[in-house]
Amino acid sequence: MNRVIFYLNLNFLVIYSGAQVLSTNLLDKKVDSVLHLMTIQEKIGQTNMYNGFMEFTGPTIENEDNKSKIENIKSGLVGGMLNTLSVKEIRAAQKLAVENSRLGIPMLFGYDVIHGYKTMLPVPLAQAASWDRQVAEVSARISAVETASSGLHWTFAPMIDVCRDGRFGRIMEGAGEDPYLTSVMTEAWIKGYQGSDLSDEYTIAACAKHFAAYGFVEAGREYNTADISRNTLYNVALPPFKAAVDAGAATFMNAFNLVDGVPATGHSHLQRDILKGVWGFEGFVVSDWWSIVEMVSHGFAIDRQDAGRLAMLAGSDMDMEGRVYEEHLAELIKSGEIDETLLNDAVRRILRVKFQLGLFDDPYKYCDESREAEQIFKPEHREISREVARKTAVLLKNENDLLPIKEQVKSIAVIGQMASSKDVPLGNWRAQAITDSGVSLLEGIKNAAKDIEVSYSEGYRLSKGERNFVFELTLAPDDTTGFQEALTFARESDMVVMAMGEDCFQTGEGRSQTDTRLKGNQVELLKRIAEINDQLVVVLMTGRPVAIPEVAAIAPSILQVWYGGTEAGNATADILFGNYNPSGRLPVSFPYYTGQEPLHYDRTNTGRPGANPWNPSVVFWSHYTDSPNQALYPFGYGLSYTEFEYSNLSNRVKEGMVEVKINVKNIGQIEGLETVQVYVRDPVATVAQPIKKLVDFKQVRLKPGEQVTVEFILDEKDFGFYHPDFTFYAENGAFEIMVGKHSEDFISEQVMVTFN
Ligand code: NOJ
């Protein structure tokens, strides 16, 4: 096989494979040739996925459950496993299946590689803040190379749940609040994971999750019900999943939540009618962990057997660790409650992915110790991670051009527990990242600061004790004993860089919060520091939009860096010292107050959108009495060290299409990257439309004084929407087109468009 490793202009690693992709026809024939040999039990086995927290290479397997799992693997009754890690373990487990079972069908090995395997890339929400397809694609590619080199061939990513509620801890895993931006990222992520050939041993199968509406859990509470309208489901939650199918996602995962009263796992309309029907998805759907069994608790299934029946009827093909299909499918088929053709369809889908991955040609093709040793956590991956991370930071405020740090600054006080943390930047959902393997902000600053004295004081303490993926994070009690030292250093230094935000284990699965203000007494310390040193930069680390009105009022400069991965500290220092001009834009609205959540820019107008013009103190309009309606920092927002000016918006309408042009000029002193954003509004429609929705964007890099004309072609897909019967079309008439810097700053024009 030809394999060429080369660098794109952005120095991003791209791996090209010359292997041939199986034609659909041949693939189907191969799949059927296996299916015909299988007994019902063996077919059911393919739908059965085990968790693998057990050692296959260890001397003994004490646990009874593990023993029976191993027997089942040997008997060909297991289709796949999750959480079996390393080439050694995977080879041993695969061997059990391939060398002992009657047909020797290889198992699939999957794992949650959400933003890197050992080399951490920025968390997905941060990647989305780059608004850069290449950032998403290359991040997924690095993840794929390391994952595949560890013997695995399937990741449970990307998570593409549109989410507009900062309370939901899993907002960090997706691309934010907008369906279009999420769709763009989805396509890039899938391309990055899967490449153009799944059988390449450096690519892995992607899994678009969680289908569907998991981002809409009520009040942002984990595992809660999603009470979502059909309009929002079709137009906001589903489009990224459609993009995933179009991008060739090999697998889908369903969700824990109810959708309109029906668990997503038992949702026939979603899985059979839309996903496998209208969209023609040919891969398979894996349940979320135990989500089949949980249909009993939801009050939808009578018992485990009934849950199995409902899940299979609805199109859930594989059962993740629930053991429901394993225990009950045979009986359900025997009694006629499940037709065997449904099982055949599920198995066909699973086998197809196994063939595509090349596992039937060589079940151990991903198992190569030398590749494992060579590829995982290699320096090139870290370099790329740094390049990627600096594109994800969003400059929220920069009064008097405080940043980048000027030459006259000779001493910097770095403050805050998170500033010295080598672990927080790695983020949650960190696969095999080694604890404390990241570059801290403090290290990054020290590496970059030449002839500058750097002092460090913890100042405040946010968390205490053990921090990990599974257990509740313990916040440290408020304690001001560290304040004095921090204040002294702040007083004695030319500049202060203060790390604020959230521990990375405040976001991720099971990490919902009712209050998205910064915890502990960090804001109090900020206030005290601001009184003595106004050369103050806040570096904000979060995995969610946080409510920071006080920080925004006090700090002259704020740089939102999310959790930037292994090289986070160096990447942030690149920006602080002006080696990279910040270019990130918010993929989520930052509210003033948590009570504004769910907050999103593409809201509908309401019947009472504005105050009474004759008497603004009359209360009868859609507003809060204690908060603005708008975001503190809106969707699409982000500053640069330079300034961009927009002018001359023009359009030409032609046969259902609109050609839009706008001039963008760099009117500042240094080169910079601008993200030109296009929003549209259909002001009158049969279903009331949002006041604006993002339909396109382009990034332009401009030298000082340089001007370009940026062009967009908009057509029916940009002006249309899904109607209640799930048909998509645009309604003829007037539209508003808005082009600009972000969702609240644009130039607009009206156009009349007629579609066929
Ligand atoms: C539950 C999570 O919801 C899902 O995203 C993940 O892939 C599975 N657990 C497996 O770890």
Side-chain angles (χ1 to χ4, degrees):
M1 183 186 298
N2 290 330
R3 187 179 310 288
V4 188
I5 296 179
F6 63 92
Y7 289 84
L8 281 182
N9 52 348
L10 286 163
N11 284 340
F12 285 166
L13 179 72
V14 168
I15 292 172
Y16 165 79
S17 156
Q20 290 297 309
V21 180
L22 281 177
S23 79
T24 316
N25 213 349
L26 180 62
L27 183 59
D28 286 341
K29 280 191 182 138
K30 288 186 170 190
V31 166
D32 280 336
S33 70
V34 177
L35 190 76
H36 283 133
L37 303 174
M38 296 173 81
T39 63
I40 289 208
Q41 280 304 345
E42 285 165 339
K43 287 181 194 170
I44 293 170
Q46 288 304 306
T47 69
N48 183 25
M49 176 190 240
Y50 282 159
N51 184 31
F53 281 132
M54 53 211 200
E55 284 186 11
F56 293 96
T57 51
T60 46
I61 293 143
E62 306 278 357
N63 176 319
E64 281 309 309
D65 187 46
N66 283 353
K67 278 189 194 157
S68 85
K69 278 183 174 177
I70 286 179
E71 282 318 305
N72 286 345
I73 293 172
K74 285 179 166 173
S75 308
L77 301 179
V78 187
M81 301 197 72
L82 73 156
N83 297 328
T84 294
L85 304 174
S86 84
V87 164
K88 194 171 160 205
E89 289 293 318
I90 290 170
R91 186 199 299 279
Q94 190 71 296
K95 209 166 165 210
L96 291 178
V98 171
E99 294 185 12
N100 295 281
S101 64
R102 191 178 71 91
L103 296 173
I105 298 176
M107 292 194 292
L108 276 173
F109 290 91
Y111 189 43
D112 288 284
V113 180
I114 307 300
H115 56 106
Y117 181 80
K118 193 161 272 183
T119 305
M120 285 296 112
L121 288 308
V123 296
L125 188 62
Q127 292 180 32
S130 71
W131 292 54
D132 183 336
R133 293 163 173 85
Q134 221 159 358
V135 161
E137 185 179 338
V138 80
S139 299
R141 179 58 52 92
I142 300 292
S143 305
V145 169
E146 292 198 6
T147 305
S149 301
S150 81
L152 292 156
H153 32 248
W154 183 21
T155 177
F156 304 125
M159 195 273 222
I160 53 174
D161 298 308
V162 171
C163 181
R164 317 45 220 273
D165 195 331
R167 292 172 296 181
F168 189 32
R170 302 198 76 171
I171 195 169
M172 173 277 283
E173 287 173 56
E177 75 184 44
D178 182 69
Y180 178 73
L181 181 61
T182 305
S183 300
V184 168
M185 290 291 132
T186 297
E187 197 189 327
W189 278 324
I190 289 171
K191 209 164 149 201
Y193 288 126
Q194 298 193 165
S196 54
D197 176 11
L198 268 187
S199 77
D200 182 315
E201 56 266 36
Y202 284 99
T203 60
I204 52 177
C207 181
K209 72 186 189 185
H210 306 86
F211 191 65
Y214 188 42
F216 285 80
V217 285
E218 212 166 52
R221 201 184 77 212
E222 181 64 283
Y223 312 130
N224 205 357
T225 290
D227 199 355
I228 184 171
S229 71
R230 182 173 45 181
N231 182 30
T232 305
L233 178 70
Y234 288 174
N235 287 292
V236 181
L238 292 190
F241 289 99
K242 166 80 164 67
V245 174
D246 293 345
T251 72
F252 263 51
M253 184 185 293
N254 55 35
F256 289 125
N257 52 283
L258 297 182
V259 180
D260 205 10
V262 176
T265 306
H267 214 295
S268 226
H269 178 53
L270 282 175
Q271 298 184 132
R272 289 221 182 270
D273 300 346
I274 294 180
L275 177 61
K276 295 176 178 176
V278 182
W279 294 346
F281 174 64
E282 292 189 333
F284 71 86
V285 180
V286 62
S287 78
D288 202 343
W289 178 282
W290 272 49
S291 69
I292 297 182
V293 186
E294 289 177 10
M295 294 203 292
V296 178
S297 304
H298 275 298
F300 185 71
I302 303 164
D303 53 18
R304 288 171 60 86
Q305 176 160 331
D306 195 34
R309 180 183 67 83
L310 289 162
M312 184 46 72
L313 284 175
S316 296
D317 301 310
M318 190 182 261
D319 177 5
M320 186 190 283
E321 182 57 32
R323 322 270 183 102
V324 173
Y325 287 169
E326 173 186 271
E327 285 164 25
H328 300 290
L329 261 188
E331 222 169 306
L332 287 165
I333 289 171
K334 201 164 160 213
S335 67
E337 285 171 273
I338 292 289
D339 195 302
E340 197 182 334
T341 55
L342 290 186
L343 175 63
N344 287 345
D345 177 60
V347 176
R348 224 179 238 120
R349 289 168 179 276
I350 294 163
L351 293 179
R352 188 180 287 134
V353 173
K354 292 185 176 183
F355 269 110
Q356 286 170 327
L357 284 164
L359 294 173
F360 278 97
D361 294 331
D362 178 3
Y364 308 108
K365 65 179 299 182
Y366 296 82
C367 294
D368 176 338
E369 275 87 357
S370 61
R371 201 158 58 219
E372 183 176 41
E374 182 193 304
Q375 294 293 341
I376 295 178
F377 210 51
K378 68 182 198 183
E380 289 92 322
H381 292 177
R382 297 186 57 149
E383 257 318 297
I384 293 164
S385 177
R386 175 175 179 166
E387 270 193 64
V388 164
R390 53 194 204 174
K391 294 181 169 210
T392 64
V394 184
L395 184 63
L396 297 177
K397 190 176 172 191
N398 197 22
E399 237 168 49
N400 303 323
D401 292 335
L402 182 58
L403 286 176
I405 295 170
K406 308 290 176 294
E407 265 175 24
Q408 53 271 35
V409 171
K410 295 295 172 210
S411 56
I412 300 177
V414 179
I415 291 168
Q417 185 191 20
M418 282 185 294
S420 63
S421 174
K422 292 170 67 58
D423 199 64
V424 167
L426 301 176
N428 198 350
W429 273 122
R430 52 173 62 185
Q432 287 297 289
I434 301 162
T435 308
D436 290 331
S437 61
V439 176
S440 71
L441 175 62
L442 179 61
E443 287 172 330
I445 290 177
K446 281 186 173 166
N447 292 341
K450 292 183 192 77
D451 306 324
I452 299 178
E453 197 186 310
V454 179
S455 56
Y456 171 70
S457 173
E458 188 177 84
Y460 68 87
R461 184 155 268 239
L462 183 60
S463 63
K464 66 165 197 176
E466 234 198 287
R467 308 158 47 259
N468 62 41
F469 170 68
V470 178
F471 297 108
E472 217 69 76
L473 179 78
T474 312
L475 294 174
D478 284 0
D479 172 6
T480 52
T481 46
F483 278 26
Q484 211 40 58
E485 184 189 64
L487 291 170
T488 306
F489 288 0
R491 187 174 295 111
E492 289 169 357
S493 303
D494 293 339
M495 183 171 226
V496 178
V497 175
M498 182 169 174
M500 300 182 77
E502 296 194 335
D503 189 289
C504 64
F505 291 111
Q506 283 180 256
T507 45
E509 187 171 353
R511 319 272 167 171
S512 293
Q513 290 181 181
T514 59
D515 189 350
T516 59
R517 286 177 299 177
L518 304 185
K519 300 278 190 272
N521 50 13
Q522 13 179 350
V523 176
E524 197 187 319
L525 179 58
L526 175 76
K527 284 182 190 159
R528 306 263 290 271
I529 291 174
E531 282 166 14
I532 55 175
N533 193 335
D534 60 3
Q535 303 295 292
L536 171 56
V537 176
V538 166
V539 172
L540 198 58
M541 301 179 190
T542 77
R544 58 157 56 89
V546 280
I548 49 160
E550 286 170 305
V551 180
I554 298 166
S557 281
I558 308 172
L559 183 66
Q560 164 68 15
V561 299
W562 319 98
Y563 305 120
T566 305
E567 287 289 323
N570 285 330
T572 303
D574 287 339
I575 295 175
L576 296 178
F577 288 91
N579 298 321
Y580 184 78
N581 184 356
S583 55
R585 303 287 181 262
L586 290 180
V588 278
S589 306
F590 274 47
Y592 284 86
Y593 304 106
T594 315
Q596 290 176 275
E597 300 283 15
L599 181 66
H600 51 106
Y601 79 94
D602 53 344
R603 57 191 178 274
T604 41
N605 206 28
T606 80
R608 296 186 179 195
N612 183 326
W614 299 284
N615 187 349
S617 54
V618 168
V619 293
F620 305 114
W621 65 287
S622 180
H623 73 299
Y624 296 106
T625 54
D626 59 355
S627 161
N629 282 0
Q630 305 87 323
L632 169 62
Y633 295 116
F635 175 81
Y637 171 84
L639 301 173
S640 160
Y641 291 157
T642 189
E643 271 283 319
F644 298 98
E645 186 185 73
Y646 285 66
S647 62
N648 282 6
L649 175 65
S650 68
N651 73 76
R652 204 161 62 96
V653 183
K654 208 176 133 203
E655 291 159 10
M657 296 208 310
V658 185
E659 211 178 271
V660 179
K661 290 187 183 173
I662 193 154
N663 291 344
V664 183
K665 185 172 182 186
N666 182 346
I667 55 167
Q669 303 306 314
I670 61 165
E671 187 178 309
L673 184 72
E674 172 67 331
T675 301
V676 184
Q677 304 169 28
V678 185
Y679 298 84
V680 301
R681 178 182 186 188
D682 182 349
V684 182
T686 53
V687 178
Q689 291 299 294
I691 54 170
K692 61 190 79 120
K693 62 178 189 184
L694 181 74
V695 292
D696 206 349
F697 62 87
K698 274 186 186 158
Q699 295 193 313
V700 285
R701 182 169 287 287
L702 298 176
K703 296 198 163 46
E706 190 182 349
Q707 174 173 302
V708 285
T709 302
V710 185
E711 295 184 25
F712 299 91
I713 306 279
L714 307 183
D715 59 23
E716 183 158 14
K717 72 176 179 333
D718 304 304
F719 296 106
F721 58 90
Y722 284 95
H723 289 71
D725 61 357
F726 203 53
T727 54
F728 184 96
Y729 58 91
E731 297 180 2
N732 295 339
F735 293 89
E736 191 181 348
I737 297 175
M738 296 152 261
V739 188
K741 295 180 181 181
H742 59 79
S743 61
E744 301 286 340
D745 185 349
F746 48 78
I747 309 178
S748 71
E749 267 186 357
Q750 291 271 337
V751 288
M752 293 293 295
V753 195
T754 307
F755 307 92
N756 287 329

